[in-house]
Protein backbone atom coordinates (compact mmCIF):
# COMPACT_ATOMS: atom_id res chain seq x y z
CA UNK A 1 0.00 0.00 0.00
CA UNK A 2 1.15 3.52 -0.79
CA UNK A 3 1.60 5.93 2.14
CA UNK A 4 -1.35 8.02 0.91
CA UNK A 5 -3.55 4.90 0.87
CA UNK A 6 -2.48 4.04 4.40
CA UNK A 7 -3.36 7.54 5.64
CA UNK A 8 -6.70 7.52 3.81
CA UNK A 9 -7.63 4.12 5.28
CA UNK A 10 -6.58 5.17 8.81
CA UNK A 11 -8.47 8.45 8.61
CA UNK A 12 -11.55 6.64 7.35
CA UNK A 13 -11.54 4.40 10.41
CA UNK A 14 -11.49 7.46 12.67
CA UNK A 15 -14.26 9.29 10.80
CA UNK A 16 -16.64 6.40 11.29
CA UNK A 17 -16.43 6.71 15.12
CA UNK A 18 -16.16 10.44 15.71
CA UNK A 19 -17.59 10.67 19.24
CA UNK A 20 -15.27 7.98 20.53
CA UNK A 21 -12.32 9.56 18.73
CA UNK A 22 -13.00 12.97 20.31
CA UNK A 23 -13.22 11.51 23.81
CA UNK A 24 -10.03 9.49 23.36
CA UNK A 25 -8.14 12.44 21.90
CA UNK A 26 -9.29 14.58 24.84
CA UNK A 27 -7.15 12.55 27.25
CA UNK A 28 -4.07 13.10 25.10
CA UNK A 29 -4.93 16.80 24.70
CA UNK A 30 -5.17 17.34 28.47
CA UNK A 31 -1.78 15.76 29.08
CA UNK A 32 -0.04 17.67 26.29
CA UNK A 33 -1.73 20.97 27.21
CA UNK A 34 -0.62 20.55 30.82
CA UNK A 35 2.98 19.88 29.84
CA UNK A 36 3.19 22.76 27.34
CA UNK A 37 1.51 25.20 29.74
CA UNK A 38 3.70 24.17 32.68
CA UNK A 39 6.89 24.63 30.67
CA UNK A 40 5.70 27.91 29.17
CA UNK A 41 4.49 29.41 32.46
CA UNK A 42 7.59 28.29 34.31
CA UNK A 43 9.90 29.85 31.72
CA UNK A 44 7.75 33.01 31.55
CA UNK A 45 7.82 33.39 35.32
CA UNK A 46 11.53 32.65 35.55
CA UNK A 47 12.29 35.07 32.70
CA UNK A 48 10.34 37.74 34.58
CA UNK A 49 12.29 37.02 37.77
CA UNK A 50 15.62 37.12 35.95
CA UNK A 51 14.65 40.37 34.25
CA UNK A 52 13.66 41.73 37.65
CA UNK A 53 17.01 40.66 39.10
CA UNK A 54 18.85 42.31 36.21
CA UNK A 55 16.86 45.50 36.72
CA UNK A 56 17.23 45.66 40.49
CA UNK A 57 20.74 44.25 40.64
CA UNK A 58 22.21 41.55 42.84
CA UNK A 59 24.86 43.78 44.41
CA UNK A 60 22.71 45.18 47.23
CA UNK A 61 23.65 44.08 50.75
CA UNK A 62 21.81 44.98 53.96
CA UNK A 63 23.53 45.42 57.32
CA UNK A 64 21.70 45.39 60.63
CA UNK A 65 22.54 44.81 64.25
CA UNK A 66 21.56 41.58 65.97
CA UNK A 67 21.71 40.58 69.61
CA UNK A 68 24.60 40.97 72.05
CA UNK A 69 25.96 38.05 74.07
CA UNK A 70 23.61 39.11 76.89
CA UNK A 71 20.58 38.97 74.60
CA UNK A 72 20.19 42.73 74.33
CA UNK A 73 19.57 44.59 71.08
CA UNK A 74 22.86 45.82 69.63
CA UNK A 75 23.14 49.23 67.96
CA UNK A 76 25.01 50.25 64.87
CA UNK A 77 27.28 53.29 65.40
CA UNK A 78 26.04 56.65 64.15
CA UNK A 79 28.99 56.88 61.77
CA UNK A 80 28.36 53.39 60.34
CA UNK A 81 27.35 54.67 56.89
CA UNK A 82 30.58 56.66 56.57
CA UNK A 83 32.56 53.62 57.69
CA UNK A 84 30.91 51.47 55.00
CA UNK A 85 31.56 54.09 52.31
CA UNK A 86 35.26 53.94 53.18
CA UNK A 87 35.46 50.35 51.85
CA UNK A 88 37.07 50.54 48.39
CA UNK A 89 34.60 48.72 46.11
CA UNK A 90 31.52 50.26 47.78
CA UNK A 91 29.62 52.52 45.38
CA UNK A 92 26.62 53.53 47.53
CA UNK A 93 25.75 53.35 51.22
CA UNK A 94 22.64 54.69 52.92
CA UNK A 95 20.49 53.83 55.93
CA UNK A 96 17.18 53.88 57.75
CA UNK A 97 16.57 54.00 61.47
CA UNK A 98 13.63 52.87 63.58
CA UNK A 99 11.76 55.70 65.28
CA UNK A 100 9.69 55.07 68.40
CA UNK A 101 6.53 56.95 67.42
CA UNK A 102 2.96 56.08 66.57
CA UNK A 103 1.28 56.91 63.27
CA UNK A 104 -2.36 57.97 63.15
CA UNK A 105 -4.65 59.41 60.54
CA UNK A 106 -6.00 62.01 62.95
CA UNK A 107 -5.98 62.94 66.63
CA UNK A 108 -9.33 61.20 67.23
CA UNK A 109 -7.68 57.83 66.59
CA UNK A 110 -6.26 56.20 69.76
CA UNK A 111 -2.43 56.03 69.83
CA UNK A 112 -2.43 52.23 69.92
CA UNK A 113 -4.36 52.11 66.60
CA UNK A 114 -1.41 52.54 64.22
CA UNK A 115 -2.85 50.45 61.34
CA UNK A 116 0.39 48.47 61.35
CA UNK A 117 2.40 51.43 60.07
CA UNK A 118 5.82 52.09 61.61
CA UNK A 119 8.05 55.17 61.44
CA UNK A 120 11.58 55.15 60.08
CA UNK A 121 14.14 57.86 59.58
CA UNK A 122 15.60 57.79 56.07
CA UNK A 123 18.67 59.31 54.46
CA UNK A 124 18.09 61.36 51.33
CA UNK A 125 19.93 58.92 49.03
CA UNK A 126 17.86 55.90 50.14
CA UNK A 127 15.53 55.83 47.14
CA UNK A 128 18.35 55.98 44.59
CA UNK A 129 20.30 53.19 46.29
CA UNK A 130 17.28 50.87 46.36
CA UNK A 131 16.18 51.61 42.82
CA UNK A 132 12.78 52.73 44.14
CA UNK A 133 10.48 55.34 42.69
CA UNK A 134 7.81 57.75 43.90
CA UNK A 135 4.31 56.92 42.71
CA UNK A 136 2.96 60.38 43.45
CA UNK A 137 4.45 63.56 44.86
CA UNK A 138 8.16 63.90 45.58
CA UNK A 139 10.90 62.27 47.64
CA UNK A 140 12.48 63.91 50.69
CA UNK A 141 14.62 66.93 49.73
CA UNK A 142 17.61 68.65 51.28
CA UNK A 143 15.55 71.77 51.89
CA UNK A 144 12.75 69.85 53.57
CA UNK A 145 14.84 67.38 55.55
CA UNK A 146 14.42 69.38 58.78
CA UNK A 147 10.73 70.02 58.23
CA UNK A 148 7.91 67.76 59.50
CA UNK A 149 7.33 66.07 56.16
CA UNK A 150 6.96 62.38 55.36
CA UNK A 151 6.88 59.96 52.45
CA UNK A 152 4.59 56.95 52.84
CA UNK A 153 5.14 53.44 51.58
CA UNK A 154 2.52 52.06 49.21
CA UNK A 155 0.82 49.86 51.81
CA UNK A 156 1.11 52.49 54.55
CA UNK A 157 -0.73 55.06 52.40
CA UNK A 158 -3.49 52.58 51.69
CA UNK A 159 -3.91 51.64 55.35
CA UNK A 160 -3.98 55.25 56.50
CA UNK A 161 -6.40 56.26 53.75
CA UNK A 162 -4.01 58.83 52.29
CA UNK A 163 -4.82 59.48 48.66
CA UNK A 164 -1.82 61.61 47.78
CA UNK A 165 0.53 64.46 48.69
CA UNK A 166 -0.66 67.44 50.71
CA UNK A 167 -2.58 65.47 53.33
CA UNK A 168 -1.53 65.42 56.97
CA UNK A 169 -0.99 62.54 59.39
CA UNK A 170 -0.11 62.52 63.07
CA UNK A 171 3.30 61.04 63.91
CA UNK A 172 3.80 60.97 67.63
CA UNK A 173 2.20 64.21 68.81
CA UNK A 174 3.08 66.28 65.76
CA UNK A 175 1.39 66.75 62.41
CA UNK A 176 3.47 65.78 59.38
CA UNK A 177 2.67 66.70 55.80
CA UNK A 178 2.71 63.87 53.29
CA UNK A 179 4.89 64.98 50.38
CA UNK A 180 4.96 61.70 48.48
CA UNK A 181 3.81 58.10 48.22
CA UNK A 182 6.21 55.38 47.08
CA UNK A 183 5.57 52.66 44.55
CA UNK A 184 6.18 49.18 45.99
CA UNK A 185 9.89 48.67 46.76
CA UNK A 186 10.63 45.27 45.26
CA UNK A 187 13.94 44.51 46.98
CA UNK A 188 12.90 45.79 50.43
CA UNK A 189 9.13 45.26 50.77
CA UNK A 190 9.31 46.20 54.47
CA UNK A 191 9.46 49.85 53.37
CA UNK A 192 5.99 49.56 51.88
CA UNK A 193 4.54 49.61 55.41
CA UNK A 194 6.36 52.58 56.92
CA UNK A 195 6.23 56.35 57.09
CA UNK A 196 9.64 57.75 56.18
CA UNK A 197 10.94 61.02 57.57
CA UNK A 198 14.34 62.68 57.18
CA UNK A 199 17.07 61.86 59.72
CA UNK A 200 17.28 65.48 60.87
CA UNK A 201 13.50 65.86 61.18
CA UNK A 202 13.29 62.60 63.13
CA UNK A 203 15.91 63.84 65.59
CA UNK A 204 14.37 67.31 66.01
CA UNK A 205 10.69 66.37 66.17
CA UNK A 206 10.49 62.71 67.24
CA UNK A 207 13.42 62.13 69.58
CA UNK A 208 15.31 59.82 67.22
CA UNK A 209 18.77 58.94 68.60
CA UNK A 210 20.52 58.96 65.22
CA UNK A 211 21.63 55.31 65.25
CA UNK A 212 20.87 53.58 61.92
CA UNK A 213 18.90 50.37 62.18
CA UNK A 214 19.60 49.07 58.68
CA UNK A 215 22.30 50.05 56.21
CA UNK A 216 21.92 49.44 52.48
CA UNK A 217 25.13 49.06 50.49
CA UNK A 218 25.87 48.58 46.80
CA UNK A 219 29.27 47.62 45.44
CA UNK A 220 30.72 46.41 42.17
CA UNK A 221 29.22 43.10 41.05
CA UNK A 222 32.60 41.37 41.06
CA UNK A 223 33.32 42.53 44.62
CA UNK A 224 30.07 41.66 46.41
CA UNK A 225 31.47 38.55 48.13
CA UNK A 226 34.67 40.31 49.20
CA UNK A 227 32.78 43.31 50.56
CA UNK A 228 30.37 41.04 52.40
CA UNK A 229 33.29 39.40 54.18
CA UNK A 230 34.61 42.68 55.63
CA UNK A 231 31.40 44.61 56.36
CA UNK A 232 30.78 43.18 59.83
CA UNK A 233 34.31 44.00 61.03
CA UNK A 234 34.10 47.42 59.37
CA UNK A 235 30.84 48.41 61.06
CA UNK A 236 31.59 46.85 64.42
CA UNK A 237 35.32 46.13 64.84
CA UNK A 238 34.97 45.13 68.48
CA UNK A 239 32.07 42.69 68.09
CA UNK A 240 31.47 41.75 64.43
CA UNK A 241 29.37 38.78 65.51
CA UNK A 242 26.42 41.04 66.35
CA UNK A 243 26.19 42.36 62.78
CA UNK A 244 23.93 40.53 60.32
CA UNK A 245 24.59 40.78 56.59
CA UNK A 246 22.06 39.66 53.97
CA UNK A 247 21.40 40.06 50.24
CA UNK A 248 17.74 40.86 49.37
CA UNK A 249 18.10 39.49 45.83
CA UNK A 250 18.61 36.01 47.31
CA UNK A 251 14.86 35.89 47.94
CA UNK A 252 14.16 36.33 44.22
CA UNK A 253 16.74 33.67 43.38
CA UNK A 254 15.07 31.32 45.86
CA UNK A 255 11.73 31.97 44.18
CA UNK A 256 13.24 30.97 40.85
CA UNK A 257 14.54 27.73 42.39
CA UNK A 258 11.14 27.03 43.94
CA UNK A 259 9.46 27.59 40.57
CA UNK A 260 11.83 25.07 39.03
CA UNK A 261 10.85 22.45 41.61
CA UNK A 262 7.16 23.09 41.05
CA UNK A 263 7.71 22.79 37.31
CA UNK A 264 9.15 19.30 37.75
CA UNK A 265 6.15 18.30 39.86
CA UNK A 266 3.62 19.67 37.38
CA UNK A 267 5.44 18.02 34.47
CA UNK A 268 5.08 14.74 36.33
CA UNK A 269 1.34 15.32 36.66
CA UNK A 270 1.15 16.15 32.96
CA UNK A 271 3.00 12.93 32.12
CA UNK A 272 0.49 10.96 34.22
CA UNK A 273 -2.39 12.62 32.34
CA UNK A 274 -0.66 11.78 29.05
CA UNK A 275 -0.24 8.15 30.16
CA UNK A 276 -3.94 7.94 31.04
CA UNK A 277 -4.74 9.38 27.62
CA UNK A 278 -2.54 6.74 26.01
CA UNK A 279 -4.42 3.99 27.85
CA UNK A 280 -7.65 5.50 26.53
CA UNK A 281 -6.31 5.40 22.97
CA UNK A 282 -5.24 1.78 23.36
CA UNK A 283 -8.67 0.87 24.73
CA UNK A 284 -10.37 2.64 21.82
CA UNK A 285 -8.23 0.79 19.29
CA UNK A 286 -8.88 -2.62 20.89
CA UNK A 287 -12.64 -2.00 20.80
CA UNK A 288 -12.27 -0.86 17.21
CA UNK A 289 -10.53 -4.14 16.29
CA UNK A 290 -13.31 -6.19 17.93
CA UNK A 291 -16.04 -4.23 16.17
CA UNK A 292 -14.38 -4.37 12.76
CA UNK A 293 -13.48 -8.03 12.54
CA UNK A 294 -15.61 -8.57 9.45
CA UNK A 295 -13.97 -5.58 7.76
CA UNK A 296 -10.55 -7.04 8.60
CA UNK A 297 -11.58 -10.46 7.29
CA UNK A 298 -12.90 -8.97 4.05
CA UNK A 299 -9.69 -7.04 3.46
CA UNK A 300 -7.62 -10.11 4.14
CA UNK A 301 -9.79 -12.14 1.74
CA UNK A 302 -9.25 -9.49 -0.93
CA UNK A 303 -5.50 -9.80 -0.62
CA UNK A 304 -4.42 -7.50 2.19
CA UNK A 305 -1.37 -8.82 4.02
CA UNK A 306 -0.90 -8.99 7.77
CA UNK A 307 1.53 -6.08 7.53
CA UNK A 308 -1.11 -3.96 5.75
CA UNK A 309 -3.65 -4.60 8.51
CA UNK A 310 -1.07 -3.93 11.20
CA UNK A 311 -0.02 -0.68 9.52
CA UNK A 312 -3.65 0.42 9.09
CA UNK A 313 -4.47 0.21 12.80
CA UNK A 314 -1.11 1.62 13.84
CA UNK A 315 -1.79 4.60 11.55
CA UNK A 316 -5.23 5.07 13.12
CA UNK A 317 -3.62 5.13 16.58
CA UNK A 318 -1.00 7.65 15.45
CA UNK A 319 -3.61 9.91 13.84
CA UNK A 320 -5.79 9.73 16.95
CA UNK A 321 -2.86 10.66 19.21
CA UNK A 322 -1.69 13.38 16.82
CA UNK A 323 -5.18 14.89 16.83
CA UNK A 324 -5.16 15.08 20.63
CA UNK A 325 -1.54 16.26 20.74
CA UNK A 326 -2.12 19.06 18.24
CA UNK A 327 -5.18 20.30 20.09
CA UNK A 328 -3.36 20.02 23.42
CA UNK A 329 -0.29 21.94 22.19
CA UNK A 330 -2.49 24.74 20.85
CA UNK A 331 -4.52 24.85 24.05
CA UNK A 332 -1.38 24.89 26.20
CA UNK A 333 0.16 27.72 24.16
CA UNK A 334 -3.00 29.83 24.36
CA UNK A 335 -3.34 29.21 28.11
CA UNK A 336 0.32 30.14 28.65
CA UNK A 337 0.03 33.38 26.69
CA UNK A 338 -3.24 34.39 28.37
CA UNK A 339 -2.06 33.71 31.93
CA UNK A 340 1.33 35.35 31.36
CA UNK A 341 -0.28 38.51 29.99
CA UNK A 342 -2.69 38.67 32.94
CA UNK A 343 0.29 38.41 35.33
CA UNK A 344 2.20 41.07 33.41
CA UNK A 345 4.89 38.63 32.23
CA UNK A 346 6.37 38.31 28.78
CA UNK A 347 4.94 35.03 27.37
CA UNK A 348 7.67 32.47 26.65
CA UNK A 349 6.58 29.42 24.65
CA UNK A 350 9.75 27.61 23.53
CA UNK A 351 9.61 25.75 20.23
CA UNK A 352 11.29 22.74 21.83
CA UNK A 353 8.28 22.30 24.12
CA UNK A 354 5.99 22.09 21.07
CA UNK A 355 8.43 19.70 19.41
CA UNK A 356 8.61 17.63 22.58
CA UNK A 357 4.80 17.54 22.73
CA UNK A 358 4.64 16.24 19.16
CA UNK A 359 7.31 13.62 19.89
CA UNK A 360 5.52 12.51 23.07
CA UNK A 361 2.25 12.30 21.16
CA UNK A 362 3.74 10.10 18.44
CA UNK A 363 5.42 7.89 21.04
CA UNK A 364 2.11 7.45 22.86
CA UNK A 365 0.37 6.71 19.55
CA UNK A 366 2.88 3.99 18.66
CA UNK A 367 2.82 2.37 22.10
CA UNK A 368 -0.97 2.54 22.34
CA UNK A 369 -1.43 1.08 18.85
CA UNK A 370 1.09 -1.78 18.88
CA UNK A 371 -1.04 -4.38 20.64
CA UNK A 372 -4.35 -3.58 18.86
CA UNK A 373 -2.55 -3.56 15.48
CA UNK A 374 -0.85 -6.90 16.19
CA UNK A 375 -4.15 -8.39 17.37
CA UNK A 376 -5.91 -7.25 14.19
CA UNK A 377 -3.14 -8.70 11.99
CA UNK A 378 -3.42 -12.11 13.71
CA UNK A 379 -7.12 -12.51 12.86
CA UNK A 380 -7.71 -15.34 10.37
CA UNK A 381 -9.85 -14.22 7.39
CA UNK A 382 -12.38 -17.05 7.79
CA UNK A 383 -12.79 -16.50 11.52
CA UNK A 384 -13.08 -12.75 11.03
CA UNK A 385 -15.74 -13.04 8.30
CA UNK A 386 -17.81 -15.42 10.43
CA UNK A 387 -17.72 -13.09 13.47
CA UNK A 388 -21.16 -11.92 14.57
Amino acid sequence: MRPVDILRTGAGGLRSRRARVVLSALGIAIGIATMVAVIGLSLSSRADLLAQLDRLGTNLLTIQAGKTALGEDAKLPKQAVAMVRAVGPVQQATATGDVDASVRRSDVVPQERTAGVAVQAARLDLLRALGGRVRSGTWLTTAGERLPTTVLGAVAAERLGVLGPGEKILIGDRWFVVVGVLAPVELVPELDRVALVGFTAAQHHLGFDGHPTMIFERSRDDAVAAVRDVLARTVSPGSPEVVKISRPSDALAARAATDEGMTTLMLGLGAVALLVGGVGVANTMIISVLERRQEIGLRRALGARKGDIRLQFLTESLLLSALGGGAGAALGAVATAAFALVQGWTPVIPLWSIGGAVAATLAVGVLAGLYPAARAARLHPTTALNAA
Side-chain angles (χ1 to χ4, degrees):
M1 294 179 66
R2 296 178 301 169
V4 65
D5 295 326
I6 295 172
L7 287 174
R8 186 182 296 114
T9 304
L14 296 181
R15 283 196 299 268
S16 63
R17 295 164 178 82
R18 294 182 181 179
R20 188 183 301 165
V21 165
V22 170
L23 292 176
S24 298
L26 184 60
I28 298 290
I30 291 174
I32 292 297
T34 300
M35 297 177 77
V36 170
V38 165
I39 293 172
L41 290 176
S42 174
L43 292 179
S44 299
S45 173
R46 200 171 304 144
D48 183 71
L49 282 174
L50 293 177
Q52 191 177 7
L53 280 171
D54 288 340
R55 185 178 72 254
L56 299 175
T58 59
N59 62 341
L60 177 68
L61 297 177
T62 62
I63 309 155
Q64 59 186 130
K67 299 283 187 180
T68 66
L70 300 177
E72 299 175 348
D73 291 331
K75 282 190 175 184
L76 297 176
K78 292 182 179 180
Q79 65 274 23
V81 172
M83 297 164 70
V84 171
R85 285 177 177 168
V87 178
V90 171
Q91 297 173 325
Q92 291 176 299
T94 186
T96 59
D98 290 341
V99 178
D100 185 15
S102 61
V103 182
R104 293 175 289 164
R105 188 66 177 87
S106 70
D107 53 3
V108 299
V109 178
Q111 281 197 335
E112 61 273 10
R113 304 261 320 256
T114 61
V117 178
V119 184
Q120 288 190 355
R123 298 179 69 97
L124 299 183
D125 54 357
L126 175 69
L127 203 61
R128 185 176 72 254
L130 297 182
R133 61 184 181 85
V134 179
R135 187 175 66 194
S136 60
T138 62
W139 176 242
L140 299 170
T141 63
T142 303
E145 186 183 13
R146 296 176 176 273
L147 302 176
T149 58
T150 180
V151 174
L152 297 179
V155 176
E158 181 181 347
R159 290 181 177 178
L160 292 172
V162 174
L163 300 178
E167 300 188 40
K168 293 183 178 181
I169 60 173
L170 200 61
I171 300 180
D173 295 322
R174 190 178 182 94
W175 289 101
F176 276 68
V177 178
V178 177
V179 296
V181 176
L182 297 180
V185 183
E186 295 170 296
L187 278 179
V188 191
E190 296 87 354
L191 294 182
D192 295 341
R193 296 167 175 80
V194 301
L196 297 166
V197 298
F199 257 65
T200 305
Q203 289 173 312
H204 287 178
H205 303 298
L206 301 173
F208 175 53
D209 60 8
H211 288 274
T213 305
M214 183 172 289
I215 298 173
F216 303 93
E217 174 274 334
R218 284 191 186 272
S219 55
R220 297 196 315 266
D221 290 336
D222 61 346
V224 173
V227 171
R228 185 171 189 165
D229 290 338
V230 303
L231 280 180
R233 293 191 299 273
T234 299
V235 173
S236 181
S239 51
E241 69 279 356
V242 304
V243 179
K244 298 189 295 185
I245 314 292
S246 61
R247 184 156 64 170
S249 61
D250 288 345
L252 294 177
R255 275 178 56 194
T258 302
D259 285 350
E260 188 173 355
M262 288 300 296
T263 299
T264 302
L265 174 62
M266 294 303 295
L267 279 177
L269 294 177
V272 170
L274 185 59
L275 177 62
V276 172
V279 172
V281 170
N283 183 57
T284 297
M285 295 308 302
I286 290 174
I287 295 174
S288 179
V289 170
L290 293 176
E291 291 178 345
R292 297 161 63 187
R293 283 178 294 179
Q294 290 184 338
E295 175 193 331
I296 296 170
L298 180 60
R299 291 198 64 210
R300 288 295 308 279
L302 293 175
R305 296 169 296 179
K306 286 185 178 181
D308 295 330
I309 301 299
R310 186 182 301 114
L311 197 55
Q312 173 190 345
F313 282 91
L314 192 57
T315 300
E316 285 189 28
S317 178
L318 280 170
L319 289 175
L320 177 55
S321 297
L323 178 63
L331 180 61
V334 170
T336 297
F339 188 83
L341 291 174
V342 168
Q343 295 295 320
W345 304 336
T346 300
V348 178
I349 306 171
L351 292 178
W352 62 262
S353 68
I354 304 297
V358 172
T361 296
L362 296 178
V364 167
V366 170
L367 293 175
L370 282 177
Y371 174 71
R375 182 168 178 172
R378 286 199 302 267
L379 287 175
H380 194 275
T382 304
T383 304
L385 286 170
N386 291 331

